[in-house]
Amino acid sequence: MSLLDETIAAVRPADRSAMADARAHQDRLTKPRGSLGVLEDVAVRLAGAAGVSPPPLPAPAALAIFAADHGVHARGVSPWPQEVTTQMVANFTGRGAVANAFATQVGATVTVVDVGVATDLPEAPGLLIRKVAYGTADLSRGPAMTAEQAVAALETGISVAAQLIASGARCLITGDMGIANTTASAALISAFTGQDPAATTGRGTGIDDATHNHKIAIVREALDANFDGTLPAEGEALRTLAAVGGLEHAAIAGFILGAAATGVPVILDGVIAGSAALAAAALAPSVVDHCVAGHRSAEPGHRIALDHLGLRPLVDLELRLGEGTGGLLAHPLVCAAVRVMHEVATFDSAGVTDKQS
Amino acid sequence: MSLLDETIAAVRPADRSAMADARAHQDRLTKPRGSLGVLEDVAVRLAGAAGVSPPPLPAPAALAIFAADHGVHARGVSPWPQEVTTQMVANFTGRGAVANAFATQVGATVTVVDVGVATDLPEAPGLLIRKVAYGTADLSRGPAMTAEQAVAALETGISVAAQLIASGARCLITGDMGIANTTASAALISAFTGQDPAATTGRGTGIDDATHNHKIAIVREALDANFDGTLPAEGEALRTLAAVGGLEHAAIAGFILGAAATGVPVILDGVIAGSAALAAAALAPSVVDHCVAGHRSAEPGHRIALDHLGLRPLVDLELRLGEGTGGLLAHPLVCAAVRVMHEVATFDSAGVTDKQS
């Protein structure tokens, strides 16, 4: 049995009994029932994922930034040159990027994983070289990856999750870097949800109308080239991911599966993570029970992905940066939701009179 | 010159030059321009408030929970007995409330201020006894406070802000406790914005339709009793606050003024803070430049108050608890926004190629 198959088999659905216990516990705490809104749902979700109420505090957190390049970049879908992927990896390991600043703010570690950057990277602190290929093939002409490459990238993500958890992480946060990767995300979201490329394709880090229309056309070409104009059938998760995904999307899908298989919650960042989570959920539907949507990005496809997954994002501040920045910002909110379960007094213990019903 | 007058005179408008510098600095950082969305605006706002770019990191933070009771409680506007105000003060000082758990999560101190609780409170660690009165009079029959009481509560808030800043706080967060205080908030919001009580009055910590309709009628009575059916004129800020506010609303308004006068930013919690900020802004319009809206509560009046103030909330998770909980959750986001300005590399310094325009 492969590491991927073992991991998929190990993902358990939410424990309904632990969720009911968590909900009942919330109702005994010294606050009006339901007054913590969405955060009560987060605590209940994490109890279900952990199989115990209250769930463990999801700290410390570890961010993994999976970096890779994209053959479709040659089609002119991004205003950024491809070498920016390599340059930003150096910026991450030099602790100069926004993800580094946010990680410092929330006390998370940062690990960068080269799963498919187009150049050979020098060794650097915090960088894992796990290159599966020097970037993907052009998804608008045919499959971006072979099935073997997709599995290798998935298993890379699984291994990185295991390594971070072994190092003490109790919450994983997804991050990404890859110039042109919102094009692959849009194609994945269209393939997995059936939504038209015009709805799933956004402006990424900032493109004009003409480039946006061109990008939509490229995503449409990708679906036509890979699926003959008909959507992939259910059960074709791996083929779909390999056809129109990126190496970092596959690795993030594996990272999510690896966290879920170990019972450690994972906070999803933006549209790259959302599209990768669609692939992970297609491989193992219960994986969603272990995910928290960190934020909603400005990318239109992200909303579609989250709706499909049934996840509500915690932070909604029009971020469109990636790197894991939105996931990092959500981490204190997730911790706060769980901390309430451990530290807040009950009406009985605090001698507070309950509401008159 | 009174402490209140001195404080109002010391509130400076945002420094436009520092804001322009902050915006220009954001655009040099290694991220697509604008990609941090609302957080870029937060950093620029804090630069304006501080008069320097980058602005100082707004940490550590100090939460002040102003507690008071309300004569209007006797009209049956809340399902919670009045003694819960006193009980919750004990819960705060015993570190058993949600605000305590959230404060621990974000590293904020908690100070509880009795500015008008209806009972005599025992001394406790972290509790400041600054009682102006044993609760307000019933605002539905006439003024809730005398002008002298309102000024005393305002100056209490100013003094507490000064004390926390002297102790090292570089960000203040507003908190409140007072059974029935959403009724006073609704009346303040109607009085300051002209919106009908049906639009400004919510369900507080949870009431049924009949009680909600009754609460709307009580707010309408309060406006009629105090303002003869016509809205208070501009310039009548103090009389308006005294007429339909609570002692904690007045103290929070002072707390906001005190922070702003010292150039320390203040994160507003929910609808109580929003209505208090309307009073503070009526006394000193530039005070808004020093405020960050921490969150949007589920109370409908809060949205109206924030729109009137021109503030966009950072956290929007259907919280309706008060205590400062929404403000606390926003603190890491505000810090993250400012940290970017200090720690993120520029395109030049990191050797990252800028977007091709």
Side-chain angles (χ1 to χ4, degrees):
Chain A
M1 202 176 189
S2 71
L3 174 61
L4 177 60
D5 289 338
E6 276 175 21
T7 305
I8 290 170
V11 176
R12 295 272 167 273
D15 181 326
R16 299 288 154 188
S17 167
M19 292 177 78
D21 288 351
R23 188 69 72 187
H25 183 65
Q26 290 274 8
D27 286 350
R28 288 190 297 271
L29 301 178
T30 45
K31 60 175 182 54
R33 288 184 183 81
S35 61
L36 289 178
V38 176
L39 293 188
E40 298 197 15
D41 301 331
V42 168
V44 169
R45 167 177 284 269
L46 264 62
V52 61
S53 172
L57 197 69
L63 169 70
I65 303 176
F66 294 93
D69 279 307
H70 297 264
V72 73
H73 182 272
R75 301 294 309 274
V77 289
S78 172
W80 298 84
Q82 189 171 63
E83 63 257 31
V84 171
T85 303
T86 297
Q87 293 166 347
M88 283 302 295
V89 167
N91 202 16
F92 296 134
T93 58
R95 306 201 59 75
V98 176
N100 301 105
F102 284 9
T104 300
Q105 182 60 44
V106 307
T109 62
V110 178
T111 302
V112 187
V113 185
D114 170 12
V115 69
V117 179
T119 60
D120 283 310
L121 300 177
E123 289 189 18
L127 173 64
L128 302 178
I129 308 279
R130 299 282 187 276
K131 201 188 295 284
V132 171
Y134 290 87
T136 51
D138 178 0
L139 56 84
S140 70
R141 317 284 197 188
M145 295 176 265
T146 64
E148 291 71 25
Q149 287 174 328
V151 170
L154 278 156
E155 294 192 337
T156 297
I158 294 170
S159 300
V160 171
Q163 181 175 336
L164 293 175
I165 293 166
S167 300
R170 291 300 170 262
C171 180
L172 299 186
I173 303 174
T174 73
D176 72 276
M177 183 67 223
I179 298 301
N181 66 7
T182 58
T183 300
S185 290
L188 284 170
I189 295 169
S190 280
F192 281 115
T193 71
Q195 294 286 312
D196 191 84
T200 62
T201 307
R203 290 168 188 271
T205 48
I207 53 177
D208 58 21
D209 285 350
T211 309
H212 185 215
N213 286 330
H214 174 63
K215 188 172 166 185
I216 293 169
I218 295 290
V219 173
R220 212 180 293 285
E221 278 185 40
L223 299 177
D224 289 345
N226 284 285
F227 309 118
D228 274 339
T230 60
L231 282 174
E234 280 196 43
E236 293 194 296
L238 190 63
R239 182 172 86 84
T240 305
L241 174 62
V244 295
L247 288 155
E248 75 274 49
H249 296 81
I252 291 171
F255 187 67
I256 295 168
L257 289 165
T262 321
V264 168
V266 58
I267 302 179
L268 306 179
D269 187 39
V271 70
I272 313 302
S275 60
L278 288 173
L283 290 165
S286 295
V287 82
V288 180
D289 294 344
H290 301 264
C291 294
V292 173
H295 88 125
R296 171 157 50 215
S297 85
E299 282 288 289
H302 195 202
R303 181 187 294 264
I304 292 168
L306 291 177
D307 285 351
H308 195 84
L309 293 163
L311 294 175
R312 170 162 175 168
L314 297 183
V315 172
D316 194 356
L317 296 173
E318 297 169 25
L319 304 184
R320 49 182 176 79
L321 178 54
E323 304 181 358
T325 49
L328 287 165
L329 290 180
H331 184 247
L333 306 180
V334 177
C335 286
V338 173
R339 192 176 284 275
V340 164
M341 304 281 286
H342 289 273
E343 298 183 4
V344 172
T346 61
F347 284 106
D348 281 350
S349 74
V352 174
T353 309
D354 200 353
K355 170 179 161 181
Q356 293 160 342
S357 54
Chain B
M1 206 176 187
S2 72
L3 175 60
L4 177 59
D5 290 337
E6 276 174 21
T7 305
I8 289 171
V11 177
R12 295 272 168 272
D15 181 327
R16 299 288 153 188
S17 167
M19 292 176 78
D21 288 350
R23 187 71 71 189
H25 183 65
Q26 290 276 7
D27 287 349
R28 287 190 297 269
L29 300 179
T30 46
K31 60 174 183 53
R33 288 182 184 82
S35 62
L36 289 178
V38 177
L39 293 188
E40 297 197 14
D41 301 331
V42 168
V44 170
R45 168 177 285 269
L46 264 62
V52 62
S53 173
L57 197 69
L63 169 69
I65 304 176
F66 294 92
D69 280 307
H70 296 264
V72 73
H73 182 271
R75 300 294 308 275
V77 290
S78 171
W80 298 84
Q82 189 171 64
E83 63 257 32
V84 170
T85 303
T86 297
Q87 293 166 348
M88 283 302 295
V89 167
N91 201 18
F92 295 134
T93 58
R95 305 200 61 75
V98 175
N100 301 106
F102 283 9
T104 300
Q105 182 60 46
V106 307
T109 62
V110 178
T111 302
V112 188
V113 185
D114 170 11
V115 69
V117 179
T119 59
D120 284 310
L121 300 177
E123 288 188 20
L127 174 64
L128 302 177
I129 308 280
R130 299 284 187 274
K131 201 188 294 286
V132 171
Y134 288 88
T136 51
D138 177 0
L139 57 85
S140 70
R141 316 285 196 186
M145 295 175 265
T146 64
E148 291 71 24
Q149 287 174 329
V151 170
L154 278 156
E155 294 193 338
T156 296
I158 294 169
S159 300
V160 170
Q163 182 175 333
L164 293 175
I165 293 166
S167 299
R170 290 300 170 264
C171 180
L172 300 186
I173 303 174
T174 73
D176 72 276
M177 182 68 222
I179 297 301
N181 66 7
T182 58
T183 300
S185 290
L188 284 170
I189 295 168
S190 280
F192 280 115
T193 71
Q195 293 287 310
D196 191 83
T200 62
T201 308
R203 291 166 188 272
T205 47
I207 53 177
D208 58 20
D209 285 349
T211 308
H212 186 214
N213 287 329
H214 174 62
K215 188 173 165 184
I216 293 169
I218 295 289
V219 172
R220 212 179 293 284
E221 278 184 43
L223 299 176
D224 289 345
N226 285 285
F227 308 118
D228 275 339
T230 60
L231 282 174
E234 279 195 43
E236 293 195 296
L238 189 63
R239 182 172 86 84
T240 304
L241 175 62
V244 297
L247 288 153
E248 75 274 49
H249 297 81
I252 291 170
F255 187 68
I256 295 167
L257 289 165
T262 320
V264 168
V266 58
I267 302 179
L268 306 179
D269 187 39
V271 70
I272 313 299
S275 60
L278 289 173
L283 290 165
S286 295
V287 81
V288 179
D289 293 344
H290 301 264
C291 294
V292 173
H295 88 125
R296 172 156 50 214
S297 85
E299 284 286 290
H302 194 202
R303 181 186 295 263
I304 293 169
L306 291 177
D307 286 350
H308 195 84
L309 293 163
L311 294 175
R312 168 160 178 172
L314 297 183
V315 173
D316 195 356
L317 296 173
E318 297 171 26
L319 303 183
R320 50 182 176 79
L321 178 55
E323 304 180 356
T325 49
L328 287 164
L329 289 179
H331 184 249
L333 306 180
V334 177
C335 286
V338 173
R339 192 177 284 276
V340 164
M341 304 280 284
H342 290 272
E343 298 182 4
V344 173
T346 61
F347 284 105
D348 282 348
S349 74
V352 174
T353 309
D354 200 353
K355 170 179 161 182
Q356 294 159 339
S357 54

